């Protein structure tokens, strides 16, 4: 068995050497994020993740949340863990001081959230959804709504949900039908919402649903959707959870993974709701929060990859099978075998690359919010907008591959549930779907983020990559020399694709969209190679003063990444540039021609 | 009532300890260090006594290298009010630590000193007893329960035959056993507040204490590897081996 241990050394290395924690701590209101405080936070969070959340992960998966009489019971240990989580003040970590939060940078909340997600993805979704709801209220809620809901939600005593999806309105929210009728100071909400994460549960005193609905005279489509707060219990005069609102859980889904996280069908029958911001602008508000939400799901990919790797590593060091290829002799642990090593290195190198990309993107989000210089804010925001679909799409797709490798390392023992390896694969499977599927991310990347602006931000980033390549070429380390050559080919592949996307989209959007997902993967791989290259350079620089074993492993891992992962970029380029015709070649009827 | 708690920075209990190649001691470079778990229990007890309104101030003290400040910050986050580091790079043996703690106690004048019964690195189990002797205070070691009354502490101790309950006059020294309490998780707001609490740095010289070691470590070696067992044919062979090889019967 394997218990979760936060990769604190790698986290600190990425924070300090790659993501520039010291620079982020110089931004206004982030002065408290000094290295010693951040160390203490990571240390205590890792203890909590290992000792409280990890032990109820497997049992939570096996038991699942259960619905009876309209009420959901979370698995054993979840209530106690959630109470400890709130008592520890962890729920408040990312929020502003004025509402009772700790006001820490996203760069600091990111590794902490990675730990929650690694140790117990199902558990972590409850605070994540609350965070989304809090952000919506902070953004556009009236003062009265903020006063009534924010303090309790930030403390975690009340939790939040996001109600977007309806049976006929999934990726396409223009089809939302839930109605909102105006009354004096409130609205009456009626309709059905599905896939509502933690829509009903027994962890908190109240649940605050944020619901997308249409007023009777709203225009058709996305411009006629408004956002409402619909509490499970309507706050009374003292602000406490009072009268039961007519917002009910009709059922919870039987799912492939995240069994402990209750996914509710919610039925609103003239439920009392309060408008957030202005009518008909609900979807616009959702879009403002989208980067944060998609980033958070991308981080789930990193987290599950890390956890799957840890379990596979532990198993490979214990499982005795076969003999040493050269030395022969007694049966050896399977980590001695080259192919098992290859799988472990694929898991480790990509998990580290994804972590570095996620954390550096988190730092860019901090600069985009807090930098004193408006031009800097814009520059960082453009980079964040470009990178979010990659962090989301690439990290989650790779997260699934890594969780699958984790099962493979276990052999037959991975296919049975009791080893725990299978759970990560099942849990990871949702991450490429919710908050926008990989296809949606790739269309966002190719369409909105590249074609629409003529590839301006992407080209600026590519110029930065070329500068970095020049920096790499100064090193004589053979590993870095090898990495540089793969990286150069990757950057060229990326540049070719951006040219192709910009040029072809002007005439017809379909060729670029046909290769959008392969392009997203290519961009993730090259961005990951960039971060691994930066990591290797930093490791080389600090080799004499730092911890040798860790730093040498970092350089070797970067070299592996170059030879096994980065090397795929030119092939993906060919798919993107030449593959569109094949994608669209068949008529819809021809798909049936073989039957 | 003021309580003084001493904490030691030790190799984390999860780390597999390795002996240095030259046999002079245990490898501590790039090894995760934490607060001695027995001391964490001592501190937890002090914080509970403060939360119960019995104690008014908790001062936490550590002796050793500069990095002990991290351990003291953790102690401040758990709930100590202020911290003192007696900073020295010298090797510190139990008697030297007891002398340093005596000097700090004379400065701070606590009614109660609580510390772990031993540290998990060298397992000496001496410092508390030596401190009580040097101060001329009563001591209650291996505490599994502490109750404070007006001028005395009623301490339940874990002894070989069961539990023993002693009443000792204050001021006194109490050392803690594992079952006294279960330390809490540090909360995020308290981590943030810990930064702003006072941490004073002293030196053995300033306290007028000579910390020169009185014992010489000749060598440190790993425990002998366990040898493979043998199967015996029958009970007679077993008895024979127990009698003649193992010499236990």
């Amino acid at each position: 068995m394997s218990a979760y241990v936060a990769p604190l050394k790698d986290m600190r290395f990425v924070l300090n050497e790659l993501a520039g924690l010291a620079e982020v701590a110089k931004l206004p209101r982030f002065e408290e994020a000094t290295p010693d405080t951040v160390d203490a936070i990571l240390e205590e969070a890792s203890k909590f993740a290992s000792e409280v959340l990890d032990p109820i992960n497997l049992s939570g998966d096996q038991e699942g949340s259960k619905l009876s009489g309209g009420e959901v019971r979370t698995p054993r240990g979840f209530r106690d863990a959630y109470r400890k989580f709130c008592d520890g003040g962890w729920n408040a970590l990312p929020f502003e001081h004025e509402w009772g939060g700790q006001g820490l940078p996203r760069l600091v909340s990111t590794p902490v959230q990675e730990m929650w997600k690694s140790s117990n993805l199902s558990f972590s979704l409850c605070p994540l959804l609350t965070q989304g709801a809090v952000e919506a209220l902070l953004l556009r809620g009236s003062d009265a709504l903020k006063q009534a809901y924010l303090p309790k939600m930030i403390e975690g005593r009340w939790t939040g949900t996001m109600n977007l999806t309806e049976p006929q309105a999934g990726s396409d929210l223009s089809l939302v039908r839930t109605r909102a009728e105006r009354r004096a100071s409130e609205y009456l909400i009626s309709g059905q919402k599905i896939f509502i994460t933690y829509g009903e549960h027994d962890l908190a005193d109240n649940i605050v649903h944020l619901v997308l609905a249409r007023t009777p005279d709203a225009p058709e489509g996305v411009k006629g959707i408004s956002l409402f707060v619909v509490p499970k219990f309507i706050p009374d005069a003292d602000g406490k959870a009072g009268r039961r609102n007519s917002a009910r859980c009709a059922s919870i889904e039987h799912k492939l993974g995240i069994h402990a996280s209750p996914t509710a069908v919610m039925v609103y029958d003239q439920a009392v709701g309060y408008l957030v911001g202005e009518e008909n602008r609900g979807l616009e508000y959702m879009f403002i929060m989208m980067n944060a939400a998609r980033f958070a799901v991308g981080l789930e990919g990193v987290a599950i990859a890390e956890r799957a790797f840890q379990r596979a590593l532990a198993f490979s060091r214990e499982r005795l099978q076969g003999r040493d290829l050269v030395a022969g002799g007694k049966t050896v642990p399977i980590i001695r075998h080259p192919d098992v090593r290859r799988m472990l290195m694929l898991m480790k190198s990509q998990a580290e690359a994804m972590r570095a990309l996620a954390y550096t993107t988190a730092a860019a989000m901090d600069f985009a919010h807090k930098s004193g210089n408006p031009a800097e804010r814009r520059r960082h925001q453009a980079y964040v907008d470009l990178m979010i679909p990659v962090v989301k799409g690439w990290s989650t797709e790779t997260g699934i591959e890594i969780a699958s490798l984790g099962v493979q390392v276990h052999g037959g023992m991975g296919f049975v549930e009791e080893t725990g390896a299978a759970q990560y694969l099942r849990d990871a499977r949702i991450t490429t779907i919710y908050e926008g599927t990989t296809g949606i991310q790739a269309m966002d990347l190719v369409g909105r983020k590249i074609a629409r602006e003529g590839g301006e931000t992407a080209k600026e980033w590519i110029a930065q990559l070329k500068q970095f390549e020049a920096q790499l070429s100064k090193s004589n380390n053979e590993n870095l020399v090898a990495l540089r050559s793969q990286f150069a080919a990757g950057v060229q592949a990326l540049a070719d694709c951006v040219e192709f996307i910009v040029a072809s989209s002007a005439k017809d959007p379909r060729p670029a969209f046909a290769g959008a997902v392969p392009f997203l993967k290519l961009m993730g791989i090259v961005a990951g190679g960039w971060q691994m290259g930066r990591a290797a350079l930093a490791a080389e620089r600090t080799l004499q003063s730092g911890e040798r074993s860790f730093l040498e492993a970092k350089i070797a891992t970067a070299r592996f990444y170059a030879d096994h992962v980065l090397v795929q970029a030119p092939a993906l380029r060919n798919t993107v540039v030449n593959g569109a015709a094949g994608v669209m070649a068949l008529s819809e009827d021809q798909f049936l021609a073989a039957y | 009532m003021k309580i003084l708690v001493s904490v030691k920075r030790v190799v984390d209990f999860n780390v597999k300890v390795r002996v240095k190649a030259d046999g002079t001691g245990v490898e501590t470079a790039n090894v995760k260090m934490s607060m001695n778990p027995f001391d964490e229990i001592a501190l937890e007890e002090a914080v509970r006594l403060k939360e119960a309104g019995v104690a008014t101030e908790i001062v936490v003290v550590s002796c050793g290298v500069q990095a002990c400040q991290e351990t003291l910050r953790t102690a401040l986050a758990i709930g100590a009010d202020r911290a003192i580091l007696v900073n020295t790079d010298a090797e510190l043996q139990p008697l030297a630590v007891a002398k340093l703690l005596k000097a700090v106690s004379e400065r701070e004048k606590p009614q109660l000193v609580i510390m772990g019964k031993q540290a998990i690195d060298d397992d000496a189990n001496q410092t508390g007893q030596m401190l009580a002797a040097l101060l001329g205070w009563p001591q209650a070691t291996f505490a599994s329960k502490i109750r404070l009354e007006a001028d005395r502490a009623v301490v339940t101790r874990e002894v070989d035959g069961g539990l023993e309950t002693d009443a000792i006059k204050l001021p006194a020294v109490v050392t803690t056993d594992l079952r006294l309490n279960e330390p809490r998780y540090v909360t995020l707001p308290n981590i943030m507040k810990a930064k702003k609490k006072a941490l004073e740095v002293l030196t053995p010289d300033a306290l007028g204490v000579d910390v020169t070691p009185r014992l010489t470590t000749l060598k440190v070696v790993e425990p002998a590897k366990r040898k493979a067992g043998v199967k015996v044919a029958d009970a007679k062979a077993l008895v024979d081996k127990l009698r003649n090889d193992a010499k236990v019967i």
Side-chain angles (χ1 to χ4, degrees), chain A residues 335-349:
Chain A
I335 192 171
R336 220 56 71 75
H337 303 313
D339 186 59
V340 174
R341 281 295 178 96
R342 180 191 62 84
M343 290 191 280
L344 291 171
M345 286 303 288
L346 268 177
M347 298 174 86
K348 176 179 162 66
S349 64

Side-chain angles (χ1 to χ4, degrees), chain A residues 106 113 117 128 131 291-301 391:
Chain A
R106 192 173 287 278
Q113 286 175 345
K117 292 166 192 290
L128 177 67
Q131 188 182 341
N291 272 352
R294 291 183 169 179
F295 176 83
V297 176
L299 192 62
E300 291 175 5
V391 169

Side-chain angles (χ1 to χ4, degrees), chain A residues 32 34 37 43 51 88 547, chain B residues 32 185 188 192 195-196:
Chain A
E32 288 189 339
T34 53
T37 303
E43 199 73 52
E51 295 172 16
E547 187 179 342
Chain B
K32 187 178 176 201
Y185 289 101
L188 180 61
M192 306 304 285
K195 275 184 77 133
K196 298 181 182 98

Side-chain angles (χ1 to χ4, degrees), chain A residues 526-558:
Chain A
V526 175
W530 172 45
Q531 294 302 335
M532 289 309 276
R534 293 182 66 219
L537 266 190
E540 197 193 22
R541 195 176 59 234
T542 51
L543 201 54
Q544 299 314 321
S545 58
E547 187 179 342
R548 261 200 114 77
S549 158
F550 172 81
L551 297 169
E552 285 173 352
K554 188 58 104 175
I555 295 171
T557 306

Side-chain angles (χ1 to χ4, degrees), chain B residues 81-102:
Chain B
D81 296 296
R82 58 192 173 85
I84 299 171
L85 170 63
V86 184
N87 187 202
T88 173
D89 292 338
E91 181 199 345
L92 291 178
Q93 293 180 348
L95 183 59
V97 176
K99 286 179 183 171
L100 291 172
L101 294 179
K102 172 177 183 264

